[in-house]
Amino acid sequence: MATTRTKTMLAAFAVGLLTSTAALAGDVRIMWYSDGVEGEVLKDLIGRFMKDNPDIKVTIDNVSYSVVREQLPVQLEAGDGPDIARVTALKALSKHWLDLRPLVADAAYWDTNFGDQADWMRPDGTDQISGFMTQITLTGGFANKTLFEQAGVALPGKDATWDDWAKASKQVAESQQIPFPMALDRSGHRLTAPELAFGANYIGADGKPAPIDEASKAFISKFIGWIEDGTMSKDVWVSAAGSTYRAGADDFINGQVAFYYSGSWQVPNFSTKIGSNFDWVATGSPCGPANCTGMPGGAGLVAIKYTKNPKDVAKVMDYLASEPVVKEFSERTLFLPAHKGVIEKGLDFKTDDAQAKTALGIFVTASTSLADLARKLPGWAWSDTIYGALVTRVSQAAAGEMTLEEAYTRIDADIAAKVKDSAL
Amino acid sequence: MADITRQTSESRTSQSLGEAAMMPVRLAMGVIDAPLRWVQKTFGLGGMAAFFLLPNMLIFGIFVLLPFFINFAYSMTGGSALFLSDRTFVGADQYTRLFDCSNYLAPNTCAEDTFWTAVGNTGWFVILQVTLMIAVSLITALILNRNLMARSFWRAVFFFPVLLSPVVVGLIWKWILQRQGLLNFGLYGFGFDPHVWLNDRNWAFAATVGVSIWAHMGFYTLIILAGLQAIPKDLYEAAEMDGTRAMRVFSRITLPLLMPNLLVVIVLVLIRAVQIFDEVYVLTGGGPGTSTLFVTQYIYETGFAAQLRNPGLAAAASILMGLVLVVLTLMQLGLSRSRDKKGARK
């Protein structure tokens, strides 16, 4: 009798344990990272959603970007993870995304409004709806206008080249006694924009990565030269090993660099943190011999195929992708939206900061003059592999560990090894 | 008379309380007595030892041996899939790739140059950090063993960093050593030129050694201090009466009697040094370039952080690192045994 009771209690305990870890019907977890205020805006929006849909409980797990970049892929490989996630590795992880096409209320609405970026986040050769871009980003430069004015140096104009910006920034740095004239984020994506402006091509005839070409080498050698002569911030590029991401934003915010190459996602960050400390402007991307392109990209909200509640997930996604919600989210976060309808009808960014509004306008204009390859790379499966190899080896060359020629050889070898591994 | 009665009554009360407290123990003993007798009868005394060791061995097997074998299996596979069943068997390819090298002392000649750079860095780190850690901990323990004013306070001061999380340690020192950090602020205040410590290969490496010593020396100092306090005082008194010089006292009494504790410290420091990762990852991220990239970070980057992960290569590297740790532990065991034998002969 006692044994039976013990067994019953143990069984009840085990069931209790299992049910406490399994997702309950109506539970939706979102893994979310924030660059600025978007986490707060999402919380507000989701709060309203739950009021209207009391049967669905949405939990937002706010995590750091590194968790999304490093831990989420491992969870996904294990067939685990959240129900929805905000990610930037859209294509590389696309096999883990849920196809929302049969689940959303109106698939045509999604195709019409988010169709341009749909291929960035779905497995090649499918018409899957995996999610939508919460923001479209574009790389571009920022100049500390106050420093330029104090130095009596004119801001280079619209079609200024990388050399023009280097020369002007150097004059400003010398005059204003700041540590570095220029800074560029430690990121392969950021480095790619000027390489494309110099005419680089990443994609081989077979669709696989092409060996590093002369145009890429031309910019990389210029970049390393700038690091060696102090024109470009060395701190950002030698501050880590491997492909670790490092931003130079803090140096710009602290008035330590005259020109900073990053992207549109920094606008709300600068608006909040720089405030009235100094005047700053977005400059668009400097030109190279081939063009003046920036690199598009952004973060997408995707549904994960391992979810236990796909219908509820689709409801949440439908809500977040709806026109009024996208409009409000973009206006409050100062993010460039991907939604065609919202773009066509125009936005009223909720900021009193005239600099931020102007900067966003400049990025919107710049997004119309991108190189073809720049538009293609976010949806190409090998982009991240090239970015990783570029960062690892260029930073070793920047630290003086290897020559440029050795770095080029290593970049090609690293990419070849990854291509070989992926075939296994 | 009344006192005697009260005492007897108190003694009875405490006796019955004690018996009540022992009840569960007796009950438990009663329950396990029969099976234990059966085990002893069936398997003998040797079997009893194995029986008592079994829970520990099970835990060791599940959490140490099993992961080791799984890791080894991963090291024989390729691709980026996570599940072993989805991975392709490649034999010893990952090991061949790691050892594909013209000159191991020149990582640039190796296929996996960052692995050999990390091995070289770890080797130098172990040599420097272990030597300095032992020396600094020993000197600190010797000082703290003297009759200092506020001795307990000083002991707490040296132990305090041990209580900090490695991430906090890394961040604190990053704020001190970075371009606009506390150290440069101080230098600038005294009229010196600031220096970007973490961008300089040699200074960054020295910083990783220094910071790890600062963070962990308190623990090792405590072990050595315990050893010092266990040395009988009369030996020192006899030496003092003989007029023995301080250095001779140290080399002939303190050091030999401290050796068992020092051996423990050496092996712990050595293992910890080979595994160095967390505070360095926060402090330098492995940079500048790869000058503070250590083997554990290489394994982490290859297996988890790289854009296209290679768990097989990471597993192979960690098996090699595990072998090094096994060799180091066996060396320590050998040293310890040979000392015990010498001691027994004397």
Side-chain angles (χ1 to χ4, degrees):
Chain A
M1 182 68 191
T3 324
T4 316
R5 196 183 303 146
T6 314
K7 277 181 181 171
T8 314
M9 281 169 70
L10 277 173
F13 180 61
V15 169
L17 260 182
L18 283 171
T19 49
S20 68
T21 52
L24 293 169
D27 270 1
V28 174
R29 294 198 85 91
I30 303 179
M31 185 185 271
W32 185 270
Y33 75 91
S34 295
D35 289 319
V37 297
E38 64 268 36
E40 288 303 309
V41 177
L42 179 80
K43 195 176 153 194
D44 184 22
L45 293 169
I46 289 293
R48 276 185 255 160
F49 171 81
M50 285 200 289
K51 240 180 205 171
D52 296 340
N53 299 273
D55 53 327
I56 301 177
K57 186 185 168 227
V58 184
T59 309
I60 304 168
D61 295 321
N62 281 299
V63 297
S64 70
Y65 177 59
S66 61
V67 171
V68 174
R69 197 168 168 270
E70 292 167 13
Q71 293 178 22
L72 179 65
V74 179
Q75 290 180 20
L76 294 175
E77 280 294 334
D80 205 352
D83 302 296
I84 296 172
R86 185 181 190 221
V87 296
T88 53
L90 294 157
K91 191 73 168 185
L93 300 172
S94 60
K95 66 176 178 181
H96 302 291
W97 309 152
L98 174 71
D99 186 5
L100 291 166
R101 188 170 286 282
L103 298 164
V104 291
D106 181 6
Y109 166 85
W110 284 73
D111 289 337
T112 310
N113 291 299
F114 300 108
D116 285 354
Q117 295 84 29
D119 196 40
W120 294 6
M121 58 183 89
R122 63 183 166 209
D124 286 337
T126 69
D127 70 340
Q128 179 170 316
I129 295 175
S130 306
F132 68 98
M133 301 298 289
T134 55
Q135 69 184 123
I136 288 288
T137 60
L138 184 66
T139 60
F142 297 93
N144 184 323
K145 197 178 163 201
T146 303
L147 282 177
F148 274 83
E149 282 170 359
Q150 284 171 353
V153 178
L155 280 166
K158 190 174 154 272
D159 295 324
T161 62
W162 278 93
D163 285 321
D164 295 336
W165 275 105
K167 193 179 160 194
S169 304
K170 220 171 167 181
Q171 286 170 354
V172 173
E174 277 163 15
S175 154
Q176 299 300 300
Q177 297 289 297
I178 53 171
F180 292 111
M182 301 166 90
L184 188 142
D185 290 338
R186 189 180 194 273
S187 150
H189 178 260
R190 238 65 87 235
L191 199 63
T192 294
E195 283 187 33
L196 298 191
F198 273 63
N201 175 39
Y202 285 1
I203 306 176
D206 57 353
K208 298 257 171 69
I212 189 163
D213 60 16
E214 290 307 315
S216 289
K217 289 179 185 176
F219 181 75
I220 292 172
S221 65
K222 194 178 272 292
F223 179 71
I224 295 295
W226 283 337
I227 285 180
E228 282 169 355
D229 72 12
T231 305
M232 188 65 75
S233 168
K234 187 180 176 182
D235 290 19
V236 179
W237 276 78
V238 302
S239 61
S243 57
T244 308
Y245 170 71
R246 290 274 195 271
D250 285 345
D251 287 337
F252 186 75
I253 290 165
N254 292 324
Q256 299 294 302
V257 290
F259 177 81
Y260 170 47
Y261 194 77
S262 185
S264 57
W265 60 94
Q266 298 287 4
V267 172
N269 191 27
F270 290 168
S271 176
T272 315
K273 290 182 180 163
I274 295 174
S276 58
N277 292 348
F278 59 83
D279 291 338
W280 55 275
V281 288
T283 65
S285 286
C287 300
N291 55 54
C292 314
T293 192
M295 267 297 291
L301 198 65
V302 289
I304 315 287
K305 74 176 178 190
Y306 313 114
T307 178
K308 304 276 188 299
N309 302 316
K311 282 183 184 164
D312 296 327
V313 165
K315 259 190 186 173
V316 175
M317 292 295 279
D318 259 337
Y319 166 75
L320 291 173
S322 65
E323 192 171 316
V325 172
V326 170
K327 186 173 180 335
E328 184 183 338
F329 179 82
S330 304
E331 286 176 344
R332 288 173 64 184
T333 55
L334 309 186
F335 285 162
L336 306 180
H339 192 291
K340 253 190 187 159
V342 171
I343 298 168
E344 279 166 15
K345 286 172 192 161
L347 288 128
D348 178 22
F349 288 111
K350 303 282 182 264
T351 175
D352 297 331
D353 188 346
Q355 297 185 120
K357 274 192 176 181
T358 313
L360 288 167
I362 289 168
F363 277 108
V364 172
T365 310
S367 67
T368 57
S369 57
L370 299 180
D372 287 344
L373 186 59
R375 290 181 196 280
K376 208 171 179 182
L377 285 178
W380 187 50
W382 296 102
S383 299
D384 282 346
T385 303
I386 294 186
Y387 299 157
L390 274 174
V391 174
T392 306
R393 299 310 181 175
V394 169
S395 62
Q396 280 186 272
E401 278 181 8
M402 55 173 61
T403 64
L404 274 172
E405 283 310 315
E406 284 169 339
Y408 300 146
T409 311
R410 286 288 176 186
I411 288 169
D412 282 339
D414 287 352
I415 295 169
K418 300 285 183 197
V419 172
K420 194 180 158 200
D421 284 343
S422 74
L424 292 170
Chain B
M1 184 64 188
D3 276 355
I4 294 168
T5 316
R6 199 173 63 236
Q7 275 175 12
T8 319
S9 140
E10 276 173 4
S11 136
R12 271 189 204 138
T13 315
S14 68
Q15 212 175 338
S16 57
L17 275 174
E19 274 171 16
M22 281 303 288
M23 275 296 281
V25 179
R26 287 211 183 103
L27 263 174
M29 292 294 283
V31 171
I32 61 171
D33 186 58
L36 285 180
R37 278 180 192 281
W38 179 82
V39 171
Q40 190 177 356
K41 215 179 216 175
T42 317
F43 301 106
L45 267 180
M48 281 296 279
F51 179 78
F52 283 117
L53 278 173
L54 193 65
N56 203 9
M57 293 312 286
L58 265 176
I59 292 169
F60 182 77
I62 292 169
F63 294 105
V64 178
L65 280 181
L66 186 65
F68 176 82
F69 288 120
I70 293 174
N71 198 27
F72 183 71
Y74 266 92
S75 73
M76 307 296 268
T77 61
S80 59
L82 190 71
F83 288 118
L84 206 49
S85 53
D86 300 336
R87 298 179 59 77
T88 316
F89 180 76
V90 294
D93 277 9
Q94 305 287 16
Y95 295 94
T96 313
R97 185 165 156 185
L98 285 177
F99 284 103
D100 180 7
C101 211
S102 311
N103 177 2
Y104 294 111
L105 296 175
N108 280 352
T109 63
C110 305
E112 274 301 312
D113 60 327
T114 39
F115 173 71
W116 287 102
T117 304
V119 169
N121 289 343
T122 309
W124 278 114
F125 182 84
V126 167
I127 292 167
L128 282 171
Q129 199 250 18
V130 172
T131 313
L132 289 172
M133 180 77 92
I134 303 292
V136 173
S137 302
L138 182 60
I139 292 166
T140 313
L142 286 169
I143 294 169
L144 290 178
N145 196 37
R146 298 170 81 100
N147 281 325
L148 289 175
M149 243 178 69
R151 190 163 64 167
S152 302
F153 168 75
W154 290 115
R155 284 179 186 176
V157 164
F158 282 100
F159 192 73
F160 177 69
V162 178
L163 304 175
L164 297 176
S165 139
V167 174
V168 174
V169 169
L171 282 175
I172 289 172
W173 282 96
K174 195 172 187 174
W175 289 332
I176 293 172
L177 297 169
Q178 66 192 6
R179 180 182 289 278
Q180 285 156 325
L182 219 59
L183 183 58
N184 276 343
F185 183 72
L187 282 175
Y188 190 73
F190 284 105
F192 293 102
D193 281 338
H195 186 79
V196 193
W197 308 96
L198 298 177
N199 276 6
D200 180 305
R201 298 175 58 77
N202 297 326
W203 278 113
F205 194 87
T208 60
V209 174
V211 169
S212 72
I213 291 174
W214 178 83
H216 303 289
M217 64 168 280
F219 177 65
Y220 304 115
T221 301
L222 212 65
I223 298 176
I224 298 172
L225 197 57
L228 284 173
Q229 286 174 353
I231 299 173
K233 293 273 182 293
D234 51 357
L235 290 175
Y236 290 110
E237 285 164 8
E240 200 181 342
M241 284 167 70
D242 290 346
T244 316
R245 281 179 292 121
M247 271 311 288
R248 199 169 166 80
V249 171
F250 176 73
S251 63
R252 293 302 171 106
I253 299 175
T254 309
L255 213 50
L257 292 176
L258 202 57
M259 208 40 98
N261 293 59
L262 275 180
L263 272 175
V264 171
V265 169
I266 289 169
V267 82
L268 290 179
V269 177
L270 210 63
I271 290 171
R272 169 81 197 165
V274 174
Q275 293 173 328
I276 185 78
F277 173 62
D278 24 29
E279 57 252 37
V280 175
Y281 188 66
V282 177
L283 182 68
T284 65
T290 52
S291 54
T292 58
L293 177 77
F294 299 115
V295 175
T296 316
Q297 188 180 339
Y298 169 84
I299 293 167
Y300 168 69
E301 298 263 351
T302 309
F304 300 99
Q307 265 118 344
L308 204 69
R309 279 155 266 278
N310 191 337
L313 195 64
S318 66
I319 290 283
L320 295 177
M321 186 175 148
L323 288 177
V324 170
L325 288 173
V326 167
V327 169
L328 289 174
T329 312
L330 288 177
M331 272 168 60
Q332 184 265 333
L333 277 175
L335 272 172
S336 176
R337 276 187 190 150
S338 70
R339 273 192 58 77
D340 289 349
K341 275 182 193 164
K342 270 184 197 168
R345 255 183 264 137
K346 277 178 187 171

